[in-house]
């Protein structure tokens, strides 16, 4: 499989051997195999993992698994925890669509910040076949019938050549461990329903269904590739982006010929506008100046003979980072003050729900601050065993509506302070403590 993997990358010109690739790794069988293949091929890569906070302790265990794997492979590791349900509810999206938007936007942030050339996902032949059927079931343009593209801008799929049989043979021969997502067994998600209920029927009709769809998709992809090249030229002529990430699309002098409509439609799809929005935006005229349309990631304003697209702020769904040099961090309704000192003789740690006095040597910066989520745990001060934070808050009789707003301070993924309540026993100040880190919350 390694030889097929390397040949596929060369044949499709996915990347050059000296380029840096960021691997999207969930901990599932496909991404574990992709990581192993990159390591065996001696490519330059790092691993990025997203905790979507959807499966409690299972999600946390996935994060730990991927972190250990990155350490074993001796490659850079990046992780983030999103409040996916809150984002999905706010934007009125399915959980899966919300997760997709959050992860790809974050992957691109890391790619740019860390100097990676491409982002690699572990989609394979059967994933692509599932996508074709999903798109067919809900109505799709040409792009929906080539399945998952092998290369799409900065996104590459180096596993697209692989069949399920090859994947299982490889994992057995290399004795690889992986994490199984329990939600994959549930048919309440459309993809899982197609995977478990629909595709087996197609395989009964054609045992080589997976390969047949892959060949059909490859033929359509050739047409799509030409269309994407046309879109690149169209964007080069029409679009300008300012320092804040706002995109200005000039529409003046455009004839609404069929090609122009197709280019505008394809352009809008890249910004996550849905079918209903597409129809209304494309039908809008110059008399609707100031009309706004929203996608989960952008707001589009019709401004005379141009569109203006501005990115939405998704920071509320990401953790707040606290750097070691920070003195004050804005938390919205509160300010967090960060002070360092020495554990001098006679020092008494300050007491109060608004303050956390911690052993500085037990902390790893940047610290993260985010809302409490199901499955989070810590060792409450005075205890040497872990306790679910949900149980801790219940024992303290914290009302349910206030529970949801409790924030945590984390160091390398471990909770060090349930803000406003209690620190973790592992981070307390002892007689052996030399350096202090004092975190103090102040109302604005």
């Amino acid at each position: 499989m390694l030889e097929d993997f390397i040949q596929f990358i060369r044949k499709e010109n996915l990347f050059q051997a000296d380029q840096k690739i960021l691997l999207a790794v969930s901990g599932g069988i496909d991404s574990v195999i992709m990581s192993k293949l990159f390591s065996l091929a001696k490519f330059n890569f790092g691993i990025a993992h997203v905790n979507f906070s959807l499966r409690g302790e299972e999600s946390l265990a996935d994060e730990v698994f991927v972190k250990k794997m990155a350490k074993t492979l001796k490659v850079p590791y990046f992780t983030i925890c999103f409040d996916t349900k809150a984002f999905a509810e706010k934007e009125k999206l399915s959980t899966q669509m919300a997760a997709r938007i959050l992860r790809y936007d974050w992957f691109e942030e890391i790619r740019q910040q860390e100097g990676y050339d491409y982002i690699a996902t572990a989609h394979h032949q059967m994933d692509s076949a599932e996508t074709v059927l999903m798109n067919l079931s809900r109505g799709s343009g040409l792009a929906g019938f080539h399945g998952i593209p092998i290369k799409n801008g900065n996104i590459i799929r180096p596993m697209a050549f692989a069949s399920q049989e090859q994947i299982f043979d490889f994992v057995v021969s290399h004795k690889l461990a992986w994490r199984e997502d329990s939600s994959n067994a549930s048919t309440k998600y459309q993809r899982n329903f197609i995977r478990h209920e629909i595709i087996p029927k197609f395989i009964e009709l054609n045992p080589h269904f997976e390969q047949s769809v892959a060949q059909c998709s490859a033929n359509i992809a050739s047409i799509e590739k030409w269309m994407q090249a046309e879109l690149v030229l169209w964007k080069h002529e029409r679009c300008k982006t300012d320092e804040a990430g706002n995109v200005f699309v000039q529409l003046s002098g455009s004839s609404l010929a069929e090609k122009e409509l197709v280019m505008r439609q394809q352009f809008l799809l890249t910004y996550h506008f849905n079918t209903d929005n597409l129809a209304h935006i494309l039908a809008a005229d110059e008399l609707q100046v100031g009309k706004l349309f929203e996608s989960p990631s952008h707001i589009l304003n019709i401004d005379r003979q141009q569109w203006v697209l501005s990115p939405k702020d998704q920071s509320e769904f990401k953790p707040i980072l606290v750097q070691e040099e920070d003195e004050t961090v804005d938390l919205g309704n509160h300010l967090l003050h960060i002070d360092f000192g020495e554990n001098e003789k006679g020092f008494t740690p300050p007491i109060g729900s608004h303050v956390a006095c911690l052993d500085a040597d037990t902390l790893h910066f940047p610290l993260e601050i985010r809302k409490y989520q199901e499955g989070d745990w810590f060792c409450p001060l005075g205890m040497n065993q872990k306790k679910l934070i949900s149980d801790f808050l219940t024992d303290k009789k914290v009302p349910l509506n206030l529970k949801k707003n409790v924030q945590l301070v984390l160091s390398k993924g471990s909770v060090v302070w349930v803000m406003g309540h209690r620190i973790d026993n592992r981070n307390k100040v002892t007689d052996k403590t030399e350096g202090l880190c004092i975190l103090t919350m102040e109302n604005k």
Side-chain angles (χ1 to χ4, degrees):
M1 189 174 181
L2 176 62
E3 185 177 341
D4 291 341
F5 173 72
I6 295 172
Q7 286 182 354
F8 179 74
I9 291 169
R10 289 173 179 167
K11 176 189 170 188
E12 299 295 335
N13 192 27
L14 293 187
F15 61 89
Q16 301 302 311
D18 60 347
Q19 290 184 303
K20 289 176 63 179
I21 313 300
L22 182 66
L23 308 190
V25 179
S26 66
I29 185 170
D30 307 327
S31 59
V32 166
I33 289 175
M34 179 174 69
S35 303
K36 182 67 174 179
L37 288 169
F38 265 82
S39 179
L40 292 173
K42 300 187 181 341
F43 290 138
N44 186 357
F45 69 100
I47 285 175
H49 174 78
V50 179
N51 182 342
F52 293 109
S53 309
L54 295 172
R55 294 177 289 114
E57 289 202 36
E58 190 177 331
S59 292
L60 294 173
D62 291 347
E63 186 177 330
V64 170
F65 174 84
V66 176
K67 182 179 180 180
K68 287 181 179 178
M69 186 177 73
K71 187 175 182 180
T72 300
L73 296 176
K74 298 179 180 179
V75 297
Y77 171 71
F78 310 93
T79 188
I80 194 169
C81 183
F82 283 117
D83 191 345
T84 310
K85 285 186 178 178
F87 178 67
E89 289 172 5
K90 181 180 179 182
E91 298 297 338
K92 296 180 174 56
L93 297 169
S94 69
T95 303
Q96 288 184 316
M97 180 56 72
R100 183 183 187 282
I101 291 170
L102 288 171
R103 71 174 174 265
Y104 278 110
D105 284 353
W106 179 69
F107 290 153
E108 179 59 18
E109 283 182 28
I110 298 300
R111 187 192 71 79
Q112 293 185 27
Q113 291 171 7
E114 302 295 331
Y116 285 89
D117 295 286
Y118 292 101
I119 299 158
T121 70
H123 294 101
H124 50 78
Q125 282 187 1
M126 188 56 79
D127 289 321
S128 192
E130 291 167 1
T131 299
V132 169
L133 293 179
M134 285 176 65
N135 291 335
L136 180 63
S137 70
R138 62 193 178 204
S140 172
L142 182 65
F145 292 98
H146 62 47
I148 302 172
I150 294 170
K151 191 172 188 178
N152 184 16
N154 296 316
I155 310 291
I156 58 174
R157 272 88 184 196
M159 296 283 291
F161 72 95
S163 66
Q164 283 190 311
E165 184 178 357
Q166 286 176 293
I167 286 169
F168 285 119
D169 286 348
F170 185 85
V171 79
V172 169
S173 64
H174 286 79
K175 300 178 180 178
L176 298 178
W178 73 91
R179 294 281 301 170
E180 191 64 57
D181 184 341
S182 61
S183 66
N184 285 339
S186 171
T187 55
K188 72 176 183 178
Y189 299 114
Q190 185 184 37
R191 182 177 288 277
N192 289 350
F193 179 79
I194 288 173
R195 178 181 301 162
H196 298 303
E197 303 291 339
I198 305 301
I199 285 183
K201 300 299 182 183
F202 276 102
I203 293 176
E204 286 180 18
L205 292 173
N206 175 10
H208 304 291
F209 171 73
E210 191 176 354
Q211 292 80 5
S212 297
V213 173
Q215 184 57 56
C216 180
S217 296
N219 295 335
I220 296 174
S222 298
I223 302 171
E224 173 70 6
K225 191 178 293 185
W226 168 82
M227 191 164 67
Q228 288 301 315
E230 290 289 307
L231 181 59
V232 169
L233 294 174
W234 186 89
K235 289 168 67 174
H236 180 72
E237 293 174 357
R238 308 290 182 84
C239 302
K240 290 184 179 179
T241 305
D242 65 16
E243 293 181 357
N246 300 307
V247 182
F248 299 84
V249 186
Q250 297 301 321
L251 304 176
S252 57
S254 319
S255 136
L256 291 183
E258 186 132 356
K259 179 180 176 181
E260 175 65 21
L261 285 172
V262 170
M263 289 298 103
R264 292 187 186 186
Q265 181 186 55
Q266 293 301 313
F267 171 80
L268 292 170
L269 285 171
T270 63
Y271 291 93
H272 310 116
F273 286 95
N274 62 31
T275 305
D276 289 340
N277 272 338
L278 284 179
H280 287 102
I281 295 170
L282 294 173
D285 57 33
E286 295 179 17
L287 296 178
Q288 293 179 289
V289 171
K291 191 168 181 62
L292 300 177
F293 298 90
E294 290 192 38
S295 79
S297 60
H298 287 77
I299 297 174
L300 182 147
N301 176 28
I302 295 179
D303 181 32
R304 297 177 180 82
Q305 293 181 323
Q306 68 175 354
W307 290 336
V308 181
L309 288 101
S310 55
K312 286 184 175 180
D313 181 9
Q314 296 177 349
S315 59
E316 64 180 292
F317 307 106
K318 300 178 184 179
I320 297 170
L321 298 183
V322 180
Q323 305 294 343
E324 194 165 5
E325 61 271 18
D326 289 340
E327 296 180 358
T328 303
V329 175
D330 192 333
L331 301 181
N333 294 327
H334 302 87
L335 294 176
L336 181 70
H337 301 287
I338 303 99
D339 297 293
F340 291 92
E342 295 182 3
N343 188 22
E344 298 176 347
K345 188 175 181 179
F347 171 80
T348 301
I351 299 173
S353 61
H354 68 292
V355 62
C357 188
L358 307 168
D359 185 333
D361 292 334
T362 66
L363 304 179
H364 301 272
F365 285 82
L367 303 179
E368 292 184 3
I369 299 175
R370 64 165 172 80
K371 287 185 178 180
Y372 139 77
Q373 293 158 358
E374 288 297 329
D376 287 329
W377 61 271
F378 77 138
C379 297
L381 182 64
M383 294 177 59
N384 287 315
Q385 59 187 26
K386 73 177 187 178
K387 187 179 186 73
L388 285 173
I389 293 173
S390 59
D391 293 342
F392 169 77
L393 295 174
T394 298
D395 291 345
K396 290 199 68 179
K397 297 181 171 54
V398 176
L400 183 61
N401 61 326
L402 299 184
K403 254 190 187 185
K404 295 178 180 178
N405 294 320
V406 170
Q407 291 187 302
L408 312 177
V409 178
L410 299 97
S411 170
K412 292 189 74 173
S414 295
V415 175
V416 300
W417 183 25
V418 180
M419 299 182 74
H421 295 279
R422 196 174 298 179
I423 67 169
D424 190 290
N425 197 61
R426 296 166 295 177
N427 304 99
K428 69 182 179 183
V429 173
T430 68
D431 293 340
K432 296 181 180 179
T433 297
E434 296 180 359
L436 303 172
C437 177
I438 302 175
L439 307 178
T440 308
M441 282 197 303
E442 177 192 3
N443 291 331
K444 281 189 177 180

